[in-house]
Amino acid sequence: MNREQVSATYEAYAQKIGDRKRVYKTIARTFDVKRALYPGSHVDIAPSFVIPHVIYVDSFKGTIRFFKHIEAVHRLVDERNEYDEPCTIEFFGQDYTQPLDIEPVDLIISQYAGLVGQATKHYLKPGGILLCNDSHGDATLARFDEAFELIGVIGSANELVQTGLDEYFRLPKGKDVDIAEVKKKMKGFRYTKQVENYVFQKRRD
Ligand SMILES: C[S@@+](CC[C@H](N)C(=O)[O-])C[C@H]1O[C@@H](n2cnc3c(N)ncnc32)[C@H](O)[C@@H]1O
């Protein structure tokens, strides 16, 4: 794959998943994120447009093929990045539940790729941020995990909303959230109020 093919692959994928750059930018700017870990990234390299050092992890062979052309990925990011620092992109073509030889990070991104926060939280610095959705119940598990505190949600204009957080993760009729069921089914519940992305801060391991 040359630079054009890498770009075309990314663009086609970005069309499919929508523009995530603005969400990543909100998080990067608000929390001064310099190093992020993105397990189960596939080819969503938008974090590198706004965060200087991103570590991508994915075991899918199509993703491994994409990142084999890391120089071309780098060139694409260099053309579009919005920071002054040099850009660093690392890729591990492996299962993210297996050990990763990396330094602690400021941010973990969990998007439609299983229970990423639970599997990788030990790589997050204390005070670091977990940005996640609830497609596989990762946000629910973080909400009921003492290692994390829900500090925000992403609003409809990709802004960070930090009020009314008690209203999230509530089931109709006040039913209790069954964590064992979330882990078993790897699926979040339908809550009375929900958003696409939740923002947690790590308190401890
Ligand atoms: C549905 S895609 C989502 C990709 C991207 N995060 C997004 O939101 O567009 C899920 C990706 O996670 C990867 N994945 C799922 N479980 C994984 C694991 N345990 N280790 C490494 N990659 C994993 C898959 O290979 C796939 O590329």
Side-chain angles (χ1 to χ4, degrees), residues 1-11 66 69:
M1 258 193 244
N2 58 25
R3 146 81 182 74
E4 281 66 38
Q5 287 164 322
V6 162
S7 176
T9 302
Y10 167 69
E11 286 303 343
F66 177 82
H69 306 274

Side-chain angles (χ1 to χ4, degrees), residues 9-24 38 41 43-47 49 80 111-112 158 196-197:
T9 302
Y10 167 69
E11 286 303 343
Y13 192 66
Q15 284 277 327
K16 199 170 109 187
I17 65 170
D19 180 10
R20 298 245 187 89
K21 191 187 84 174
R22 289 182 296 163
V23 177
Y24 300 141
Y38 191 172
S41 58
V43 300
D44 177 19
I45 54 168
F49 299 153
R80 298 199 191 178
Q111 298 286 299
Y112 305 98
N158 296 304
E196 181 63 22
N197 275 296

Side-chain angles (χ1 to χ4, degrees), residues 13 17 20 24 38-44 57-60 63 94-97 110-114 136:
Y13 192 66
I17 65 170
R20 298 245 187 89
Y24 300 141
Y38 191 172
S41 58
H42 192 40
V43 300
D44 177 19
V57 185
D58 202 300
S59 54
F60 175 56
T63 313
Q94 65 166 77
D95 188 324
Y96 63 69
T97 64
S110 169
Q111 298 286 299
Y112 305 98
H136 295 113

Side-chain angles (χ1 to χ4, degrees), residues 77-205:
V77 170
D78 276 344
E79 283 164 20
R80 298 199 191 178
N81 77 40
E82 299 181 9
Y83 40 82
D84 297 328
E85 299 95 325
C87 151
T88 304
I89 299 168
E90 287 183 80
F91 175 71
F92 292 84
Q94 65 166 77
D95 188 324
Y96 63 69
T97 64
Q98 297 304 305
L100 291 163
D101 185 14
I102 60 170
E103 297 293 313
V105 297
D106 307 310
L107 169 70
I108 290 176
I109 299 169
S110 169
Q111 298 286 299
Y112 305 98
L115 302 177
V116 165
Q118 295 300 304
T120 62
K121 63 184 174 185
H122 50 288
Y123 300 113
L124 191 58
K125 291 177 186 170
I129 299 298
L130 169 66
L131 170 71
C132 66
N133 67 23
D134 209 31
S135 61
H136 295 113
D138 208 28
T140 294
L141 294 189
R143 170 63 184 78
F144 293 98
D145 179 346
E146 292 198 340
F148 289 112
E149 181 184 357
L150 177 66
I151 60 160
V153 299
I154 300 294
S156 55
N158 296 304
E159 80 284 20
L160 181 67
V161 176
Q162 296 192 280
T163 53
L165 300 179
D166 286 349
E167 295 166 26
Y168 295 95
F169 301 99
R170 294 196 180 280
L171 287 170
K173 299 181 187 162
K175 271 178 69 182
D176 285 338
V177 173
D178 184 343
I179 292 298
E181 192 183 331
V182 176
K183 287 183 180 165
K184 193 169 141 212
K185 294 194 173 157
M186 281 189 63
K187 197 163 167 31
F189 289 109
R190 185 169 290 275
Y191 296 109
T192 53
K193 186 170 180 183
Q194 50 192 37
V195 287
E196 181 63 22
N197 275 296
Y198 300 88
V199 182
F200 295 90
Q201 189 158 38
K202 183 174 174 178
R203 295 202 279 222
R204 58 174 177 76
D205 276 319

